[in-house]
Amino acid sequence: MCFKNEEIACGTAFFYLHEDKSYLVTNWHNVTGREPSTLKCKSNQAALPNHLFIKIPSSTHDSSGLKFIEWTTYVIPLYEDEGDSPKQPVWYEHPRYRYQVDLVAIPININGVKGSEIKHANDPNFKLDNIRLCPGLDVFVLGFPRGLSGGANFPVWKRGSIASEPDFDIDGLPKLFIDTATREGMSGAPVYARQVGYWLPEGATNQDEAMIGEGRKFLGIYSGRVGDDSFKAQLGIVWKPSAIEETIKAAMAGNSSFYM
């Protein structure tokens, strides 16, 4: 996240597919530079971002036909017609709860990225399963803790478990808790639940529908820890996929962080 060319902070984002259109999904606090609960600036210098710099993978081939992956940095303006003072944000906020749901969606045209190797978090080719969610189930948060990569610009997989009843909303908002030792830089990361062994899909009524092997399900978007490090609960917040879908469908433009 940057103001002009000055880096303010590092976070995580992912692509999401809805009705054959691509959206860049990340946290509200990443694009505004403000804490949702207080609206105070997260930066000690009161810096607010007006651009995102993201790395996008694309494929190329050498003279022998061997395929390589290259990463190109793209600049995503956060405001339209900026001039000297940022005006209309390009992101969508949740239509009902606005910034209380700490996520945004930005419409992105990926067709202009030559040789794009972009994969959406909910890509049908991932063959994600409708596994039953329950407390204690394994989850993985795919992000960049303190800007660290898992190698070749790919994310670090931080393991955890579901820590609340997933069928219920926390604080009346579409979120759940996970138990994991995540760190700054992972805000905006996609989260997946995983079940291994012998398991029944959600909605299954008899053992004939049981699955054997590994099942994964997109769980939502991570947005930080409950409290701070001194709180030591090590509980992370995950916003449910329904919140992402509601945000995209409503297409409600956000409010400028510079005029709050």
Side-chain angles (χ1 to χ4, degrees):
M1 292 80 79
C2 298
F3 179 75
K4 296 183 179 179
N5 291 322
E6 294 296 323
E7 182 177 328
I8 298 174
C10 178
T12 304
F14 58 89
F15 287 94
Y16 189 88
L17 189 64
H18 177 78
E19 295 183 350
D20 295 324
K21 294 182 180 179
S22 297
Y23 297 84
L24 185 72
V25 177
T26 189
N27 291 147
W28 182 88
H29 75 256
N30 281 345
V31 298
T32 63
R34 294 182 181 271
E35 181 61 43
S37 60
T38 63
L39 298 184
K40 292 182 179 179
C41 294
K42 295 181 72 66
S43 167
N44 293 332
Q45 288 76 39
L48 301 175
N50 65 353
H51 288 80
L52 298 181
F53 284 74
I54 65 172
K55 288 187 173 70
I56 292 182
S58 58
S59 60
T60 186
H61 296 81
D62 65 10
S63 57
S64 64
L66 189 63
K67 182 179 177 180
F68 289 90
I69 297 295
E70 294 181 338
W71 294 83
T72 305
T73 299
Y74 283 79
V75 181
I76 308 295
L78 292 176
Y79 298 88
E80 297 176 353
D81 303 322
E82 285 193 21
D84 294 329
S85 58
K87 296 179 181 178
Q88 181 61 50
V90 301
W91 67 81
Y92 298 153
E93 294 179 2
H94 193 274
R96 181 178 179 184
Y97 298 112
R98 306 306 297 250
Y99 57 80
Q100 293 181 67
V101 172
D102 191 9
L103 70 87
V104 298
I106 302 174
I108 296 287
N109 180 11
I110 66 172
N111 294 328
V113 182
K114 184 178 180 181
S116 169
E117 291 289 341
I118 288 173
K119 305 298 181 186
H120 299 86
N122 60 335
D123 192 321
N125 293 322
F126 288 166
K127 298 180 179 180
L128 298 173
D129 302 285
N130 199 20
I131 63 177
R132 289 181 174 179
L133 300 178
C134 61
L137 193 66
D138 280 347
V139 299
F140 290 89
V141 185
L142 282 62
F144 300 88
R146 295 183 175 173
L148 294 176
S149 165
N153 286 321
F154 287 99
V156 171
W157 291 55
K158 290 285 286 183
R159 188 173 187 169
S161 60
I162 295 178
S164 64
E165 294 290 345
D167 290 337
F168 296 93
D169 292 339
I170 302 295
D171 301 326
L173 297 171
K175 67 181 180 180
L176 55 85
F177 288 151
I178 59 172
D179 180 9
T180 184
T182 45
R183 288 294 179 266
E184 59 269 22
M186 301 195 74
S187 293
V191 184
Y192 293 89
R194 186 184 72 162
Q195 190 160 19
V196 180
Y198 180 85
W199 51 275
L200 285 174
E202 188 175 19
T205 57
N206 60 72
Q207 297 298 319
D208 294 337
E209 300 175 79
M211 307 290 290
I212 297 177
E214 179 179 352
R216 284 180 178 165
K217 182 176 184 177
F218 177 66
L219 191 64
I221 175 174
Y222 172 82
S223 73
R225 301 178 301 280
V226 176
D228 52 28
D229 285 343
S230 61
F231 197 66
K232 295 183 179 179
Q234 291 191 327
L235 289 177
I237 298 169
V238 176
W239 299 97
K240 299 178 179 181
S242 61
I244 299 175
E245 291 283 334
E246 291 164 358
T247 299
I248 292 174
K249 289 177 181 178
M252 184 173 289
N255 295 315
S256 172
S257 178
F258 289 84
Y259 300 116
M260 288 184 173

